[in-house]
Amino acid sequence: MTQSDDLMQLDSLWRGVHVATMKDGQYSTIENAAIGVRGGRIAWVGPADQLPRYQTQQEHNMAGCWVTPGLIDCHTHLVFGGNRAGEFEQRLNGVSYQDIAAQGGGIAASVSATRAASEADLVASSKRRLQSLMRDGVTTVEIKSGYGLSLESELKMLRVATTLGNELPVTIKRTCLAAHAMPPEFDDKDRYIDYLCHEVLPKVATLGMADAVDAFCEHIAFSPEQVERYFQTAGQLGLPVKLHAEQLSALGGSAMAARYQALSADHLEFITEDDVKAMASAGTVAVLLPGAFYTLKETQRPPMSLLREHGVKIAIATDANPGTSPALSLRLMMNMACTLFGMTPEEALAGTTLNAANALGMAHTHGSLEMGKVADFICWDVESPGELSYWLGGDLVKQRIQQGIISL
Ligand code: DI6
Ligand code: FE
């Protein structure tokens, strides 16, 4: 076969598709489109009748299915030992999340189980959860540590996250959430923050085990001042920050995070207008977590109109964790963001694609279908992109493409 210079050279071409590119966070629909892939990147996307002359190794005719960017779950605690189904029953009987935490349950229970689990067991249990997300259309997952709370066990969690990314066709972003809760060995929060700043973060950074640093800023966890010290250390080590903020009360953590150019502030049910303005000017993404809102039967919703008015980018994630959000479908979270928070299906899809990529600092390569970006996309068995937020569950993925390769 001779290769001619005026032919576009492709590894694979998808035809017979309609595309929601999510460029600029909009559907930006192209009907009767084609997508060409080369070297794991999108080499061409546009209306099929404008396709340049090409040569390809493989061609797939999808008979009219819809394609979106691969979904990005930008906030999970997917790696943990055990589970907390017993606490679910306690909460159904009226015991609050805070009460359970005060009795030594909650995060502390997951810390004991995670410390006790072998690395191989954690890989096996987390892999099943990760595969559920992947089967539902996810191609990138952020995974936080935070159930170790010691150098050794935080590193163990981050190694498990690394292994998952090596063993499965999915992109993993690792976040060090060592300031999640107090470990049993410490009784002074400032001393624990000192330990994180002097021993944990420097080692995590030196070993290259995390892409970002996170903390839980709340009365039952750490104050904005304590988190600020931890963020300063992260900054000195060159690690970007993000924050669990304003989930149960308004402490101003999100505005503080914005001062440290946080990639995202997450939860935000109790955020004020000043916090929203600070996030808008820093470009900090608002990550909303309807699974936790639902599980905790919260009543105060994140202020959608303020976030929209100030132009804050909004992402949606599962917060997959054994306590407050045992959620293994990102599409279900899109539905809940619409029903519970008043988002539109288009906003929900932007929230799990381009805006989620922004929340992970990877929007230059991921989150929309544009030439040059990584070829992560999903062919869905739906008649319109709005259906992705409409169905509660279901098996909608027809083909999942990760870095240009059909996987799953
Ligand atoms: N907020 C959350 O939603 C999770 N962590 C956090 O800081 C909950 C973690 C858990 O209950 O295990
Ligand atoms: Fe969380």
Side-chain angles (χ1 to χ4, degrees):
M1 187 167 62
T2 56
Q3 293 198 343
S4 156
D5 281 349
D6 61 355
L7 292 181
M8 175 169 66
Q9 298 297 324
L10 300 173
D11 299 333
S12 318
L13 178 73
W14 277 261
R15 307 188 69 138
V17 292
H18 309 302
V19 180
T21 70
M22 302 320 288
K23 184 177 184 309
D24 304 320
Q26 317 282 312
Y27 282 151
S28 301
T29 305
I30 312 172
E31 300 214 7
N32 304 314
I35 304 175
V37 170
R38 178 152 168 107
R41 300 262 172 169
I42 296 171
W44 196 86
V45 56
D49 59 9
Q50 292 173 21
L51 191 63
R53 297 202 318 126
Y54 65 91
Q55 205 162 42
T56 186
Q57 312 283 322
Q58 288 184 338
E59 190 160 323
H60 309 276
N61 197 318
M62 301 309 292
C65 74
W66 273 89
V67 171
T68 70
L71 303 185
I72 298 175
D73 194 349
C74 66
H75 178 144
T76 86
H77 309 249
L78 207 66
V79 173
F80 54 84
N83 72 60
R84 303 201 329 248
E87 289 180 15
F88 172 62
E89 296 197 34
Q90 276 184 284
R91 282 202 310 277
L92 291 174
N93 287 321
V95 188
S96 75
Y97 181 65
Q98 286 92 328
D99 288 344
I100 291 170
Q103 292 159 13
I107 295 174
S110 291
V111 171
S112 315
T114 304
R115 286 180 173 186
S118 71
E119 207 164 310
D121 284 347
L122 289 174
V123 169
S125 62
S126 310
K127 192 179 270 185
R128 290 177 53 218
R129 296 188 280 268
L130 181 54
Q131 284 169 324
S132 301
L133 292 174
M134 291 166 63
R135 274 196 293 273
D136 199 39
V138 170
T139 50
T140 297
V141 181
E142 184 256 21
I143 298 179
K144 301 177 193 295
S145 64
Y147 294 122
L149 311 183
S150 68
L151 175 61
E152 182 199 354
S153 47
E154 286 290 297
L155 285 174
K156 176 172 75 173
M157 291 188 71
L158 293 166
R159 278 197 305 274
V160 170
T162 310
T163 303
L164 292 170
N166 292 337
E167 293 188 358
L168 293 176
V170 62
T171 298
I172 300 293
K173 287 284 189 174
R174 301 154 307 169
T175 300
C176 177
L177 174 61
H180 192 195
M182 284 290 284
E185 305 78 35
F186 282 81
D187 51 20
D188 184 280
K189 290 184 180 178
D190 287 304
R191 287 242 178 87
Y192 181 58
I193 294 288
D194 289 342
Y195 165 70
L196 298 182
C197 292
H198 296 133
E199 298 189 40
V200 177
L201 290 183
K203 193 74 183 171
V204 166
T206 310
L207 295 173
M209 289 305 288
D211 304 296
V213 165
D214 193 354
F216 188 18
C217 186
E218 197 58 63
H219 291 297
I220 57 171
F222 300 97
S223 69
E225 295 72 26
Q226 286 160 339
V227 174
E228 195 161 355
R229 286 204 286 128
Y230 172 80
F231 277 3
Q232 280 163 356
T233 302
Q236 285 155 11
L237 295 165
L239 286 167
V241 298
K242 46 215 294 116
L243 188 63
H244 285 71
E246 272 64 73
Q247 179 186 8
L248 308 170
S249 59
L251 297 183
S254 47
M256 183 281 292
R259 286 206 306 281
Y260 287 84
Q261 311 300 318
L263 291 171
S264 70
D266 304 34
H267 287 289
L268 306 181
E269 280 82 348
F270 288 85
I271 196 172
T272 66
E273 184 159 15
D274 284 344
D275 299 330
V276 172
K277 285 182 184 163
M279 287 178 63
S281 58
T284 298
V285 178
V287 178
L288 306 185
L289 304 166
F293 174 92
Y294 165 82
T295 301
L296 295 179
K297 297 188 190 166
E298 297 284 340
T299 51
Q300 170 129 350
R301 300 170 191 194
M304 286 304 305
S305 49
L306 279 180
L307 294 169
R308 287 188 185 114
E309 186 186 319
H310 293 284
V312 174
K313 291 189 173 72
I314 302 167
I316 306 295
T318 59
D319 196 14
N321 77 68
T324 62
S325 191
L328 297 174
S329 163
L330 186 54
R331 271 197 319 101
L332 180 57
M333 301 302 109
M334 291 164 62
N335 172 276
M336 289 168 60
C338 295
T339 304
L340 301 175
F341 296 163
M343 290 179 72
T344 66
E346 186 171 26
E347 286 175 323
L349 186 57
T352 54
T353 55
L354 190 60
N355 293 350
N358 267 297
L360 297 177
M362 61 194 303
H364 53 297
T365 49
H366 290 74
S368 60
L369 297 175
E370 297 179 69
M371 279 178 224
K373 284 201 172 184
V374 174
D376 286 358
F377 53 90
I378 307 294
C379 299
W380 301 96
D381 204 355
V382 298
E383 289 170 26
S384 69
E387 278 186 56
L388 302 180
S389 294
Y390 161 72
W391 296 104
L392 300 169
D395 185 10
L396 304 189
V397 175
K398 201 160 173 179
Q399 214 174 63
R400 177 182 180 278
I401 292 93
Q402 231 267 335
Q403 296 182 17
I405 293 169
I406 298 172
S407 41
L408 218 75

